[in-house]
Amino acid sequence: MSFDLLGQLCVQRAGMTIGLGAPRQRAVLVSLLLRPNAVIATDQLVNDLWGDEPPGSPVVALRSYISQLRKLLEPVREKPSLLLSQSGGYRIAVDPDRIDLWRVRQLHELAGSHPHQAREHLSDALSLWRGEPLVDLPGPLMERERQRLAELRLTLQEERFALDHSADHLPELEALAAEHPFRERLQALLIRSLHRSGRTAEARTVYTSLHSRLVEHLGIEPGPEVTTLRQELDPDQLPSSPPHFTGRRTHVAAIARALTDRTTATGLRLVTVTGMAGVGKTALAVRAAHALRPDFPDGRLHADLRGADLVPASASDVLADFLTTLGIRPSAVPQDLPGRSALFRTVTTGKRLLILLDNARDDAQLQPLLPGSSDCAVLVTSRTALPGIPSVLRIALDVFSPQEAIGLLDSVIGAARRSAQHSDAEDLVEACGRLPLALRIAAARLAASPDQPIADLLRRLAEDREGLAEQVFALSYRLLPPPLATAFRRFAWVEPDIALASAAAVLDLPEYEAEHLAEALVDQALLESVGPGRYRFHDLVRAFARRTSLRLDEAERTTAHHRLLALLLTRARTAFALAVPGDPVADVFGEPAPRPVFTDLPDARRWARAETPGAVALAAAVASGAPDATAVRSAVDLLVALSPLGLGAFAGRAEEAARLLVAASEDGRDRAAEGRARFLLGTVLLGRARLDEAAEQAREAARACREADDPAVLRQALNDLGLIAQAQARHEEAITAFDAAAALAHRLGHRSGAVASTANAALSRVRSGHAEEAADTCRRLLSEPGGADAAMTAYVHYVLGLAHQELGQLDDSADQLRTCVDRAGHAGDQDRESAARSRLAEVLRLLGRVEEAVDEATRALRLATRGGRQRERVLAHLVLAHAVAARGDHRTARTHAAQAHRLLSGLGAPESADARSLLTALATADGSVTADG
């Protein structure tokens, strides 16, 4: 016999459900089951059932209930063995394992004692709930138990959510958090999950709403868990504060005043720090930025603009990083530099952000990176004067004063040691030209050799004939033990940052040994630590290390590149398989990592975001060097593997690298590599909305892939050709390309790719007058077993909805678009949900359901604005304009139509004509009203 309390009370014997009579009679049974095998006094049971308001003869009533329950539970027994009278009360003799509530408690205990299986135990426990427990059962005990069991279930759900780092549970978590708006732990879990899924802007909104609720309704601030989370949500990209920072006090104070004093300037507060290489511009700026942390509570952004490099950082790429850091989803980041710059100004409006732009090349690189709000402050370092940048303070940084230089020596080797050799110390700082970088390295050399006289170091410097900085670098290098010297040279071929895994790869050592060597170089001031497990060279030191490496052994660069390519490609292949499961392209990249590298897709995306700049730099370096067919192909594959993981955020440098790879593949007469490189270049250009150039590269890629028999990449090139033709309204050409891509996907066994290309073709058929054929295709896709994932299924419903609309089947169209909204919402696809709501609003307007249309269009606009994707935002404006115009609200309609027209004209989209026509019609209508009035 089993007893289920977690839902409607259910007792089963041999698989058959037993009827248990009236509600209070069932409540008697539950009172006993809550305390199995324990004797419950009669008075206690009376109190459980009636509380302070018992009937005239409660004991008689209780005995009657017990008697009836015995007949129902043990109809053939003369003497009861289940419900027993004992010592002035009653006891139910049952194995607790027969009661679902007790099984839940056991599973909860197992989750606590077996952490590796906790998620499974918690899921098993939650699966035992069948609905609201003890529903309709009377009595104070039942009411208390309902509340207690609801709390237990909520606790189990919270514990399970805390262990589940995937994005799949987000819809359930969001719904639960909405039901319990004051429950801080649940809200904290939602904030953390949104943040981990890249939806940081939404996470901040949840925090703000929670804070307002707690303060306004309860008069309290959020607890420490939520407060700590809030700090995590604020972007903080500042490098670590430089060690042994000395001097520059007046400069730090001046920067602080200039960036925080609102009385001296009404516009953007910007400070420039300029000076020669090695003079300490970055150290000063980072130190000042850390001191200003409390003044900029909304976050601190940082970018190394690499102005001294042959190819500096792309302003477009930097903006993409800033936008995603500020919570804009990668898919919603505009593709062009003006669009990114405009969105950055919008996003930063009203925020108190500090932006550190280090190592700027010139005014042109900086201008797009400036926020539009006077609440923000910008700190810029550069080797050039930047005359075109409006600054509230310009600091031309010189070398240390003698006192500052001595202060740096004291901070590294100790004042006692320096004072004992004061004359030699003064000579040393002058020998280093009081240049902070050179002096820091010399001081680190002395710190590493506590017994070495300063005079000895002076003599070694005097023997060198190179330039000042070169002397210091060369001397420090010659004094390194062989393993450290090797690490110094090989690390130089990794840029811009050196992750611990990359360091281990180029040295062919375990990570812990590579970390030991990297930290030793940090101690020698030859390498900088920029975060846990990440390092960086000063560009002057890197240049010296590379010259040294090439002078000793040119093959060292090639070996480092090959090892780094092997590491990054293996990990990128694993990340690609998570981002595009089932895509056979993953197989052309080689074998996956031998052991799990990433916990889930968000983890893989975080890795890709950190490593893509280095991967792009590596690919460009390989393509620019001596011909090496294997390395070139690996470099191409690396960037192709990264393409669905946010490569578009670095499109500027990725385009340069892709063009270099195309040229290198042509020089090496490797048609397979050329096909992939051209596909890569076409994909980058498509992402940047340069459609004609993208089409040319995609066609050349398809031709090369056919010649090289590379069907997996050929399928992607054909799909890209379809997307380009579709965007240019060449729908028959798009259909041909999509159909070819779908056929190839079927041949390769790539189910999701076949569905995507087929659905794309169906959309072009809708737009080219073949809606009936498109509808048949969509219905077939939805009926096939082993269908696509939730996001792709939502897309198919979307296309089917458009087909029904084109055919005039408006009710069917609304049904399909509503299904798309539901599926897209569960999949977390805000862009698709927004587009579907916009189309649904249009259909509802045509059906005459104007208020519903306005409501859906408003929701679409809210979603699109939150996501930041311009196309969906302006479509929602346009549809909302039509809807409110149908309601007679011409003023609001004009506002939305004007927004749609302005933004759509910028996109060059055909809907801009619709917006212009609506504006004309509204103006005409308003004019006639005025004339008649």
Side-chain angles (χ1 to χ4, degrees):
M1 190 174 293
S2 64
F3 302 88
D4 295 335
L5 311 184
L6 302 175
Q8 286 275 1
L9 175 62
C10 179
V11 178
Q12 289 190 329
R13 180 176 51 234
M16 301 295 291
T17 301
I18 301 172
L20 296 169
R24 206 170 299 273
Q25 182 169 293
R26 284 181 278 135
V28 172
L29 178 60
V30 172
S31 297
L32 295 169
L33 287 170
L34 289 171
R35 295 155 289 196
N37 301 308
V39 176
I40 312 301
T42 300
D43 290 346
Q44 181 62 56
L45 286 170
V46 168
N47 187 63
D48 292 346
L49 293 173
W50 291 286
D52 296 333
E53 299 178 353
S57 303
V59 175
V60 173
L62 177 61
R63 287 173 180 164
S64 174
Y65 293 145
I66 294 289
S67 175
Q68 291 299 318
L69 286 170
R70 282 172 173 162
K71 292 176 183 178
L72 293 169
L73 296 172
E74 298 182 286
V76 298
R77 284 186 179 272
E78 294 183 4
K79 185 177 180 180
S81 63
L82 187 66
L83 277 177
L84 307 175
S85 301
Q86 193 170 343
S87 304
Y90 297 93
R91 176 171 72 92
I92 187 165
V94 63
D95 183 350
D97 287 343
R98 297 287 184 176
I99 306 170
D100 59 355
L101 174 57
W102 287 90
R103 294 201 299 277
V104 164
R105 289 171 174 164
Q106 290 169 351
L107 288 165
H108 195 191
E109 290 176 3
L110 285 172
S113 58
H114 296 79
H116 294 299
Q117 298 173 290
R119 184 161 54 180
E120 290 78 5
H121 290 318
L122 292 169
S123 296
D124 290 345
L126 287 165
S127 69
L128 294 174
W129 256 266
R130 297 170 294 105
E132 183 182 351
L134 315 180
V135 66
D136 297 332
L137 298 186
L141 176 64
M142 297 301 104
E143 180 59 32
R144 291 195 302 273
E145 286 299 317
R146 275 191 289 272
Q147 295 176 7
R148 190 179 64 79
L149 292 175
E151 175 66 24
L152 173 61
R153 186 183 189 191
L154 201 51
T155 298
L156 293 171
Q157 289 172 312
E158 288 173 336
E159 291 180 8
R160 188 193 63 184
F161 287 138
L163 295 172
D164 190 348
H165 299 308
S166 73
D168 297 341
H169 70 278
L170 258 174
E172 181 186 356
L173 179 53
E174 287 178 300
L176 198 61
E179 293 176 20
H180 302 275
F182 292 95
R183 193 175 179 94
E184 287 195 48
R185 189 184 185 199
L186 195 56
Q187 300 295 326
L189 288 166
L190 176 58
I191 291 168
R192 182 177 286 112
S193 294
L194 288 168
H195 181 45
R196 284 175 174 167
S197 300
R199 296 163 61 181
T200 304
E202 294 171 70
R204 292 194 191 102
T205 300
V206 172
Y207 171 83
T208 302
S209 299
L210 174 62
H211 182 272
S212 297
R213 284 194 300 271
L214 293 175
V215 171
E216 292 174 12
H217 296 280
L218 304 181
I220 60 173
E221 292 283 336
E225 181 182 10
V226 176
T227 302
T228 301
L229 266 178
R230 177 65 180 94
Q231 294 168 356
E232 292 179 16
L233 298 179
D234 288 332
D236 193 346
Q237 298 182 323
L238 291 182
S240 302
S241 189
H244 307 302
F245 184 88
T246 57
R248 311 298 199 193
R249 291 182 180 178
T250 58
H251 291 119
V252 171
I255 292 171
R257 283 194 303 273
L259 295 181
T260 58
D261 186 358
R262 297 173 182 272
T263 63
T264 58
T266 56
L268 178 66
R269 286 162 294 142
L270 185 148
V271 169
T272 57
V273 179
T274 58
M276 66 178 175
V279 80
K281 301 181 297 295
T282 298
L284 169 61
V286 171
R287 181 56 172 256
H290 277 278
L292 288 167
R293 252 197 176 96
D295 296 288
F296 296 94
D298 292 325
R300 282 71 53 191
L301 301 178
H302 167 264
D304 180 359
L305 301 184
R306 304 176 67 181
D309 287 10
L310 184 62
V311 179
S314 158
S316 183
D317 294 355
V318 172
L319 283 169
D321 175 65
F322 282 175
L323 288 168
T324 53
T325 299
L326 291 170
I328 300 299
R329 290 175 296 112
S331 62
V333 173
Q335 299 302 330
D336 61 306
L337 176 59
R340 290 180 177 184
S341 185
L343 182 57
F344 181 61
R345 290 192 295 273
T346 299
V347 169
T348 54
T349 297
K351 286 186 168 61
R352 294 169 63 187
L353 288 167
L354 176 62
I355 303 164
L356 173 53
L357 302 174
D358 191 22
N359 199 9
R361 169 167 284 196
D362 52 31
D363 298 353
Q365 186 190 34
L366 278 173
Q367 286 288 357
L369 303 176
L370 301 182
S373 171
S374 59
D375 294 315
C376 296
V378 181
L379 181 53
V380 179
T381 73
S382 178
R383 295 181 188 177
T384 58
L386 305 173
I389 298 297
S391 306
V392 296
L393 174 67
R394 295 179 184 274
I395 296 176
L397 198 62
D398 201 354
V399 297
F400 275 152
S401 68
Q403 295 77 15
E404 288 175 324
I406 290 295
L408 176 58
L409 265 185
D410 286 352
S411 70
V412 178
I413 69 172
R417 182 180 177 190
R418 187 269 310 162
S419 61
Q421 307 172 72
H422 183 70
S423 178
D424 289 337
E426 288 182 327
D427 291 343
L428 177 63
V429 300
E430 293 303 325
C432 290
R434 289 186 263 125
L435 187 68
L437 176 62
L439 186 57
R440 191 176 300 276
I441 293 173
R445 181 69 259 162
L446 290 171
S449 305
D451 298 327
Q452 181 186 19
I454 296 176
D456 184 45
L457 181 57
L458 273 170
R459 187 180 66 256
R460 289 171 179 264
L461 285 173
E463 292 170 356
D464 286 324
R465 297 180 179 273
E466 294 114 332
L468 172 64
E470 194 85 0
Q471 289 181 38
V472 177
F473 301 158
L475 178 58
S476 294
Y477 172 74
R478 285 199 301 272
L479 295 174
L480 294 175
L484 210 51
T486 300
F488 176 71
R489 297 192 310 273
R490 293 185 184 176
F491 286 171
W493 300 113
V494 187
E495 61 175 322
D497 291 349
I498 308 166
L500 197 54
S502 299
V506 295
L507 296 178
D508 195 22
L509 290 174
E511 285 192 13
Y512 73 90
E513 291 187 34
E515 182 176 26
H516 173 75
L517 292 169
E519 291 295 332
L521 289 172
V522 171
D523 292 341
Q524 298 283 337
L526 293 171
L527 196 64
E528 302 168 20
S529 175
V530 294
R534 298 195 77 83
Y535 305 91
R536 177 179 294 183
F537 279 108
H538 188 284
D539 54 358
L540 292 179
V541 181
R542 181 193 290 115
F544 169 80
R546 287 184 172 183
R547 289 195 299 273
T548 305
S549 177
L550 293 174
R551 186 170 63 249
L552 291 177
D553 182 3
E554 286 197 11
E556 196 165 54
R557 171 176 58 182
T558 303
T559 300
H561 283 168
H562 281 198
R563 289 174 177 174
L564 194 55
L565 277 171
L567 169 78
L568 294 178
L569 182 56
T570 299
R571 296 195 172 187
R573 188 245 189 248
T574 305
F576 179 92
L578 286 170
V580 196
D583 193 329
V585 170
D587 295 332
V588 309
F589 302 143
E591 295 298 317
R595 55 186 176 80
V597 177
F598 310 114
T599 56
D600 52 21
L601 180 55
D603 185 33
R605 290 193 184 281
R606 284 190 291 272
W607 172 85
R609 182 175 176 182
E611 299 303 327
T612 295
V616 172
L618 174 63
V622 167
S624 303
D628 184 335
T630 301
V632 168
R633 184 176 292 198
S634 294
V636 173
D637 288 347
L638 172 59
L639 297 193
V640 172
L642 289 170
S643 59
L645 292 152
L647 184 65
F650 308 94
R653 294 183 70 85
E655 181 184 340
E656 296 166 10
R659 291 190 185 280
L660 289 170
L661 289 167
V662 168
S665 302
E666 287 180 316
D667 290 344
R669 301 182 184 279
D670 186 340
R671 288 293 275 166
E674 182 187 344
R676 294 178 192 180
R678 289 191 181 277
F679 161 71
L680 170 68
L681 178 56
T683 298
V684 172
L685 291 168
L686 174 58
R688 305 189 84 180
R690 288 155 59 183
L691 300 184
D692 291 336
E693 296 175 76
E696 179 185 356
Q697 293 300 327
R699 281 191 291 269
E700 291 297 325
R703 186 177 296 115
C705 287
R706 286 192 182 97
E707 292 179 16
D709 191 22
D710 193 359
V713 178
L714 172 61
R715 188 207 72 78
Q716 291 202 338
L718 290 170
N719 195 70
D720 276 5
L721 280 171
L723 292 172
I724 295 164
Q726 190 178 73
Q728 295 179 324
R730 295 182 282 107
H731 292 297
E732 295 301 330
E733 185 179 331
I735 290 168
T736 299
F738 285 136
D739 285 348
L744 199 50
H746 279 298
R747 199 181 93 198
L748 293 168
H750 183 11
R751 168 66 180 159
S752 61
V755 171
S757 294
T758 303
N760 286 337
L763 180 58
S764 279
R765 287 187 166 92
V766 171
R767 292 174 175 171
S768 59
H770 305 288
E772 189 64 59
E773 184 181 355
D776 289 341
T777 297
C778 291
R779 284 191 285 267
R780 174 175 57 79
L781 290 176
L782 293 171
S783 66
E784 289 178 351
D789 60 22
M792 184 52 63
T793 302
Y795 177 47
V796 177
H797 282 290
Y798 176 78
V799 176
L800 183 53
L802 298 187
H804 281 306
Q805 181 183 358
E806 190 71 19
L807 294 168
Q809 300 161 353
L810 298 183
D811 287 323
D812 291 337
S813 175
D815 289 342
Q816 291 299 323
L817 291 169
R818 281 198 181 90
T819 302
C820 174
V821 166
D822 292 340
R823 297 290 178 87
H826 284 301
D829 188 346
Q830 290 186 12
D831 294 335
R832 180 66 56 210
E833 183 183 352
S834 173
R837 286 192 185 278
S838 291
R839 297 298 185 185
L840 176 58
E842 181 66 12
V843 170
L844 291 169
R845 180 180 68 83
L846 294 172
L847 285 168
R849 293 151 64 178
V850 175
E851 292 305 319
E852 292 179 68
V854 171
D855 181 55
E856 288 296 343
T858 302
R859 292 185 182 185
L861 182 57
R862 189 182 304 121
L863 272 172
T865 302
R866 184 169 68 190
R869 187 155 179 168
Q870 186 167 313
R871 183 59 183 266
E872 274 65 42
R873 189 166 77 251
V874 296
L875 178 61
H877 273 300
L878 181 58
V879 172
L880 185 54
H882 279 291
V884 295
R887 194 169 61 181
D889 185 355
H890 289 186
R891 182 177 180 180
T892 304
R894 272 199 310 274
T895 300
H896 288 291
Q899 280 276 65
H901 179 250
R902 179 176 62 83
L903 295 170
L904 281 166
S905 297
L907 287 174
E911 290 92 342
S912 60
D914 185 14
R916 186 167 55 250
S917 298
L918 178 59
L919 282 169
T920 302
L922 289 169
T924 302
D926 286 352
S928 64
V929 169
T930 303
D932 291 343

mmCIF file of all heavy atoms in Angstrom, residues 703-721:
data_model
loop_
_atom_site.group_PDB
_atom_site.id
_atom_site.type_symbol
_atom_site.label_atom_id
_atom_site.label_comp_id
_atom_site.label_asym_id
_atom_site.label_seq_id
_atom_site.Cartn_x
_atom_site.Cartn_y
_atom_site.Cartn_z
ATOM 1 N N ARG A 703 32.749 27.665 -54.776
ATOM 2 C CA ARG A 703 33.498 27.100 -55.903
ATOM 3 C C ARG A 703 34.718 26.327 -55.389
ATOM 4 O O ARG A 703 34.977 25.191 -55.824
ATOM 5 C CB ARG A 703 33.928 28.231 -56.844
ATOM 6 C CG ARG A 703 34.589 27.743 -58.119
ATOM 7 C CD ARG A 703 34.921 28.910 -59.055
ATOM 8 N NE ARG A 703 33.697 29.577 -59.493
ATOM 9 C CZ ARG A 703 33.369 30.827 -59.179
ATOM 10 N NH1 ARG A 703 34.187 31.554 -58.428
ATOM 11 N NH2 ARG A 703 32.260 31.364 -59.620
ATOM 12 N N ALA A 704 35.448 26.905 -54.450
ATOM 13 C CA ALA A 704 36.653 26.236 -53.930
ATOM 14 C C ALA A 704 36.283 24.975 -53.145
ATOM 15 O O ALA A 704 36.976 23.954 -53.243
ATOM 16 C CB ALA A 704 37.439 27.200 -53.039
ATOM 17 N N CYS A 705 35.209 25.029 -52.365
ATOM 18 C CA CYS A 705 34.807 23.859 -51.575
ATOM 19 C C CYS A 705 34.371 22.706 -52.467
ATOM 20 O O CYS A 705 34.616 21.532 -52.150
ATOM 21 C CB CYS A 705 33.686 24.235 -50.610
ATOM 22 S SG CYS A 705 34.222 25.249 -49.219
ATOM 23 N N ARG A 706 33.710 23.022 -53.597
ATOM 24 C CA ARG A 706 33.336 21.954 -54.540
ATOM 25 C C ARG A 706 34.591 21.298 -55.114
ATOM 26 O O ARG A 706 34.679 20.065 -55.206
ATOM 27 C CB ARG A 706 32.475 22.528 -55.665
ATOM 28 C CG ARG A 706 31.043 22.855 -55.258
ATOM 29 C CD ARG A 706 30.190 23.146 -56.491
ATOM 30 N NE ARG A 706 28.835 23.505 -56.096
ATOM 31 C CZ ARG A 706 28.402 24.757 -55.982
ATOM 32 N NH1 ARG A 706 29.246 25.769 -56.207
ATOM 33 N NH2 ARG A 706 27.155 25.010 -55.622
ATOM 34 N N GLU A 707 35.557 22.117 -55.502
ATOM 35 C CA GLU A 707 36.786 21.578 -56.082
ATOM 36 C C GLU A 707 37.558 20.744 -55.067
ATOM 37 O O GLU A 707 38.184 19.738 -55.423
ATOM 38 C CB GLU A 707 37.675 22.719 -56.589
ATOM 39 C CG GLU A 707 37.109 23.451 -57.793
ATOM 40 C CD GLU A 707 38.015 24.585 -58.240
ATOM 41 O OE1 GLU A 707 39.199 24.606 -57.832
ATOM 42 O OE2 GLU A 707 37.537 25.457 -58.995
ATOM 43 N N ALA A 708 37.513 21.161 -53.802
ATOM 44 C CA ALA A 708 38.281 20.464 -52.765
ATOM 45 C C ALA A 708 37.483 19.356 -52.102
ATOM 46 O O ALA A 708 37.999 18.706 -51.189
ATOM 47 C CB ALA A 708 38.744 21.469 -51.716
ATOM 48 N N ASP A 709 36.240 19.141 -52.548
ATOM 49 C CA ASP A 709 35.355 18.140 -51.943
ATOM 50 C C ASP A 709 35.243 18.363 -50.430
ATOM 51 O O ASP A 709 35.565 17.501 -49.615
ATOM 52 C CB ASP A 709 35.864 16.722 -52.227
ATOM 53 C CG ASP A 709 34.818 15.662 -51.838
ATOM 54 O OD1 ASP A 709 33.616 16.011 -51.764
ATOM 55 O OD2 ASP A 709 35.216 14.501 -51.572
ATOM 56 N N ASP A 710 34.768 19.540 -50.065
ATOM 57 C CA ASP A 710 34.608 19.948 -48.661
ATOM 58 C C ASP A 710 33.120 20.249 -48.422
ATOM 59 O O ASP A 710 32.713 21.403 -48.291
ATOM 60 C CB ASP A 710 35.464 21.192 -48.394
ATOM 61 C CG ASP A 710 35.617 21.495 -46.907
ATOM 62 O OD1 ASP A 710 35.042 20.754 -46.092
ATOM 63 O OD2 ASP A 710 36.311 22.473 -46.571
ATOM 64 N N PRO A 711 32.279 19.199 -48.380
ATOM 65 C CA PRO A 711 30.824 19.423 -48.384
ATOM 66 C C PRO A 711 30.292 20.129 -47.147
ATOM 67 O O PRO A 711 29.303 20.859 -47.232
ATOM 68 C CB PRO A 711 30.242 18.011 -48.504
ATOM 69 C CG PRO A 711 31.315 17.109 -47.954
ATOM 70 C CD PRO A 711 32.609 17.761 -48.338
ATOM 71 N N ALA A 712 30.910 19.912 -45.982
ATOM 72 C CA ALA A 712 30.374 20.502 -44.749
ATOM 73 C C ALA A 712 30.455 22.028 -44.808
ATOM 74 O O ALA A 712 29.496 22.733 -44.453
ATOM 75 C CB ALA A 712 31.138 19.971 -43.537
ATOM 76 N N VAL A 713 31.605 22.557 -45.260
ATOM 77 C CA VAL A 713 31.740 24.004 -45.363
ATOM 78 C C VAL A 713 30.980 24.523 -46.581
ATOM 79 O O VAL A 713 30.422 25.634 -46.553
ATOM 80 C CB VAL A 713 33.224 24.403 -45.425
ATOM 81 C CG1 VAL A 713 33.382 25.917 -45.577
ATOM 82 C CG2 VAL A 713 33.946 23.933 -44.160
ATOM 83 N N LEU A 714 30.909 23.721 -47.649
ATOM 84 C CA LEU A 714 30.115 24.106 -48.816
ATOM 85 C C LEU A 714 28.663 24.371 -48.418
ATOM 86 O O LEU A 714 28.057 25.339 -48.872
ATOM 87 C CB LEU A 714 30.194 23.013 -49.886
ATOM 88 C CG LEU A 714 29.258 23.182 -51.087
ATOM 89 C CD1 LEU A 714 29.556 24.487 -51.834
ATOM 90 C CD2 LEU A 714 29.392 21.979 -52.033
ATOM 91 N N ARG A 715 28.098 23.519 -47.571
ATOM 92 C CA ARG A 715 26.707 23.718 -47.133
ATOM 93 C C ARG A 715 26.545 25.067 -46.458
ATOM 94 O O ARG A 715 25.579 25.797 -46.704
ATOM 95 C CB ARG A 715 26.290 22.601 -46.173
ATOM 96 C CG ARG A 715 24.814 22.643 -45.832
ATOM 97 C CD ARG A 715 24.501 22.037 -44.492
ATOM 98 N NE ARG A 715 24.943 22.862 -43.385
ATOM 99 C CZ ARG A 715 24.285 23.945 -42.958
ATOM 100 N NH1 ARG A 715 23.185 24.335 -43.553
ATOM 101 N NH2 ARG A 715 24.761 24.659 -41.945
ATOM 102 N N GLN A 716 27.499 25.432 -45.606
ATOM 103 C CA GLN A 716 27.395 26.712 -44.916
ATOM 104 C C GLN A 716 27.539 27.877 -45.894
ATOM 105 O O GLN A 716 26.849 28.905 -45.758
ATOM 106 C CB GLN A 716 28.459 26.805 -43.826
ATOM 107 C CG GLN A 716 28.211 25.844 -42.660
ATOM 108 C CD GLN A 716 28.900 26.284 -41.390
ATOM 109 O OE1 GLN A 716 29.859 27.033 -41.415
ATOM 110 N NE2 GLN A 716 28.400 25.830 -40.251
ATOM 111 N N ALA A 717 28.426 27.747 -46.874
ATOM 112 C CA ALA A 717 28.599 28.816 -47.865
ATOM 113 C C ALA A 717 27.317 28.997 -48.676
ATOM 114 O O ALA A 717 26.900 30.135 -48.963
ATOM 115 C CB ALA A 717 29.774 28.500 -48.779
ATOM 116 N N LEU A 718 26.672 27.895 -49.056
ATOM 117 C CA LEU A 718 25.417 27.977 -49.801
ATOM 118 C C LEU A 718 24.320 28.633 -48.958
ATOM 119 O O LEU A 718 23.535 29.448 -49.460
ATOM 120 C CB LEU A 718 24.972 26.571 -50.230
ATOM 121 C CG LEU A 718 25.836 25.903 -51.307
ATOM 122 C CD1 LEU A 718 25.435 24.440 -51.468
ATOM 123 C CD2 LEU A 718 25.702 26.649 -52.635
ATOM 124 N N ASN A 719 24.274 28.279 -47.672
ATOM 125 C CA ASN A 719 23.265 28.897 -46.800
ATOM 126 C C ASN A 719 23.520 30.399 -46.671
ATOM 127 O O ASN A 719 22.571 31.204 -46.668
ATOM 128 C CB ASN A 719 23.287 28.233 -45.423
ATOM 129 C CG ASN A 719 22.058 28.571 -44.606
ATOM 130 O OD1 ASN A 719 20.953 28.129 -44.904
ATOM 131 N ND2 ASN A 719 22.235 29.366 -43.575
ATOM 132 N N ASP A 720 24.796 30.792 -46.594
ATOM 133 C CA ASP A 720 25.126 32.218 -46.540
ATOM 134 C C ASP A 720 24.696 32.927 -47.826
ATOM 135 O O ASP A 720 24.179 34.054 -47.788
ATOM 136 C CB ASP A 720 26.625 32.417 -46.324
ATOM 137 C CG ASP A 720 27.004 32.346 -44.851
ATOM 138 O OD1 ASP A 720 26.124 32.060 -44.019
ATOM 139 O OD2 ASP A 720 28.194 32.563 -44.538
ATOM 140 N N LEU A 721 24.912 32.277 -48.978
ATOM 141 C CA LEU A 721 24.467 32.865 -50.244
ATOM 142 C C LEU A 721 22.956 33.083 -50.228
ATOM 143 O O LEU A 721 22.457 34.102 -50.725
ATOM 144 C CB LEU A 721 24.857 31.956 -51.412
ATOM 145 C CG LEU A 721 26.312 32.044 -51.882
ATOM 146 C CD1 LEU A 721 26.624 30.941 -52.885
ATOM 147 C CD2 LEU A 721 26.585 33.409 -52.513
#
